[in-house]
Amino acid sequence: MDLFRPELEALAAYHTPQVPGADKLNENEWPEDLPDGFKQKLAHLLTVQIPGNRYPPSAPDSLRNRIAEYCGVNPEMVSFGNGSDELIRSVIMATCLGNGGTVLTVEPTFSMYRILSQTLGVPCVVLERNEEDFSLDLDQIRRAVASAGVRVLFLANPNSPTGTLLDEEVLLALLALPVLVVLDEAYHEFSGYSAVPLLAKYPNLIVLRTFSKAFRLASFRVGYAIARPEAALTLEKVRLPYNLSALSQLAATLALEHKQELLAGIPALLDQRDRVARALADTGQFRLWPSATNFIYARPFSRSSEDVRLALAERGTLVRATGGGLRISAGTPTQNDRLLAHLRELFRLGSALAEV
Ligand SMILES: *Cc1c(COP(=O)(O)O)cnc(C)c1O
């Protein structure tokens, strides 16, 4: 008896490697934990403010107000996800589920756009970015939109894994298409760019953000969408009633209260990113792209990315091999030192072996 949709059989459950003690440069998290004082305050608020037996507020209005203030929009333009991953799924449900609509995305990019379409049984057209600079082919996108019943286009901006930003001119051309354009700004705090001001002109835009990266709250699972009020209300309708735990709401609210302290470390982290990028370029072994994020994307010239990933993992540094390259998060200075030492060792070994 087939109890489940047969197409799910071909999919694998999503897992990331858990290697205790390893340097985790594979998920673009902030490399250090929240400050002690922040966690103590959060624990205190949990104790005195949150009745564990009660459901959390189903409409997290104090968090909504703070996010609205942070983004410079009205509170009715905000919706929430248990991580922005959940909002990606909500957008697909709200646009394509049950009506034959198609998702469009352009790889290499964040894999969840495709994976969540597949798990919902929604068709997903996957185009490819230009190999040289990871730019988009507008004509190809226009053709796909015209022919494939596309209702929503997902783009990460800056993109993961490539770290690259879209030209605003290209973005405006995309917003002129008759589809919903979802810009995933998970790395906004690093890039400094946001499409939020374009919402005034384009009702077919949704901006997704997360507390998982620059705000260091990956463990608490809080994402949000900024959209025109009608669109935000639609996302609120498909949102599960208590998708954000009381602790998650509290953590995100507190993070915005402490945003100056939390975000103050960004320039130093980006300096670390640039140091690693320069060191990689100096080996002459990698092709690199400019990064507007907290990670770098590098393609080894002479070895497969997967080989390099494995060799680094054996030495205690986790990076991601994806899209034919390595995505390496900026870590602490010590983690980056170890990464570079491993790479030097690895590529010396590599050239010594080549000479044999
Ligand atoms: C990390 C990341 C997310 C995931 O965010 P969560 O809020 O933790 O679900 C979404 N999009 C992109 C492009 C990311 O890199």
Side-chain angles (χ1 to χ4, degrees):
M1 197 167 52
D2 280 336
L3 294 174
F4 300 108
R5 283 160 37 216
E7 68 267 27
L8 293 179
E9 248 170 69
L11 301 180
Y14 190 89
H15 288 300
T16 48
Q18 302 296 319
V19 182
D23 291 335
K24 262 190 105 287
L25 306 183
N26 59 340
E27 291 200 275
N28 299 341
E29 300 141 311
W30 192 269
E32 285 157 325
D33 195 353
L34 293 155
D36 277 348
F38 183 102
K39 284 180 98 172
Q40 278 155 14
K41 195 161 171 188
L42 183 60
H44 173 72
L45 291 173
L46 168 70
T47 308
V48 300
Q49 278 187 10
I50 298 182
N53 59 320
R54 300 293 178 201
Y55 285 106
S58 61
D61 285 328
S62 76
L63 178 58
R64 185 192 306 277
N65 290 335
R66 285 201 180 270
I67 289 174
E69 189 190 344
Y70 174 60
C71 297
V73 299
N74 291 326
E76 65 270 28
M77 295 175 75
V78 180
S79 183
F80 307 95
N82 190 274
S84 51
D85 286 355
E86 186 181 59
L87 280 160
I88 296 165
R89 186 158 67 176
S90 296
V91 168
I92 300 171
M93 287 165 62
T95 52
C96 298
L97 196 63
N99 67 355
T102 296
V103 169
L104 177 62
T105 187
V106 196
E107 296 192 342
T109 193
F110 192 53
S111 57
M112 279 298 148
Y113 313 135
R114 180 172 41 79
I115 293 170
L116 293 173
S117 302
Q118 287 171 336
T119 58
L120 289 171
V122 165
C124 180
V125 171
V126 178
L127 302 177
E128 279 178 27
R129 286 173 180 256
N130 179 309
E131 267 289 302
E132 287 303 307
D133 59 2
F134 300 116
S135 60
L136 303 179
D137 182 337
L138 268 178
D139 284 334
Q140 194 188 37
I141 291 176
R142 284 198 190 98
R143 280 196 300 277
V145 165
S147 66
V150 171
R151 307 208 42 149
V152 55
L153 166 62
F154 282 95
L155 294 167
N157 196 41
N159 189 38
S160 173
T162 62
T164 48
L165 262 177
L166 279 178
D167 287 338
E168 192 158 87
E169 215 173 293
V170 172
L171 178 55
L172 295 179
L174 294 170
L175 285 165
L177 296 172
V179 295
L180 188 68
V181 176
V182 178
L183 275 195
D184 182 343
E185 295 187 350
Y187 301 98
H188 157 71
E189 285 80 8
F190 302 109
S191 75
Y193 176 81
S194 181
V196 164
L198 295 175
L199 283 164
K201 189 158 174 216
Y202 296 96
N204 60 328
L205 171 65
I206 292 182
V207 174
L208 300 185
R209 297 269 191 85
T210 180
F211 282 90
S212 298
K213 305 284 160 63
F215 277 105
R216 318 188 193 186
L217 296 186
S219 154
F220 294 91
R221 314 300 303 127
V222 186
Y224 57 97
I226 305 291
R228 290 272 277 260
E230 320 81 74
L233 185 62
T234 305
L235 292 177
E236 284 289 280
K237 290 179 192 172
V238 296
R239 181 168 75 80
L240 283 173
Y242 305 107
N243 66 332
L244 285 194
S245 75
L247 184 58
S248 298
Q249 294 182 30
L250 204 55
T253 307
L254 200 59
L256 286 174
E257 264 170 45
H258 289 256
K259 71 171 190 289
Q260 248 150 355
E261 179 189 358
L262 292 177
L263 302 182
I266 290 176
L269 187 70
L270 297 186
D271 284 348
Q272 284 299 311
R273 172 200 70 191
D274 292 342
R275 173 171 84 96
V276 172
R278 271 195 309 275
L280 256 68
D282 287 349
T283 65
Q285 299 284 350
F286 295 93
R287 173 154 187 204
L288 287 125
W289 285 266
S291 169
T293 58
N294 62 334
F295 59 85
I296 57 174
Y297 191 59
R299 279 193 181 151
F301 289 122
S302 60
R303 292 191 178 195
S304 83
S305 301
E306 181 56 17
D307 282 354
V308 177
R309 184 194 70 76
L310 272 171
L312 286 174
E314 279 166 10
R315 288 163 174 79
T317 297
L318 306 182
V319 301
R320 185 87 195 275
T322 179
L326 295 169
R327 194 192 66 188
I328 306 174
S329 317
T332 63
T334 316
Q335 292 172 335
N336 297 336
D337 288 345
R338 282 194 287 260
L339 163 77
L340 295 175
H342 298 329
L343 282 171
R344 274 192 292 273
E345 181 185 288
L346 233 148
F347 280 93
R348 246 204 324 269
L349 250 177
S351 56
L353 284 175
E355 282 160 21
V356 174

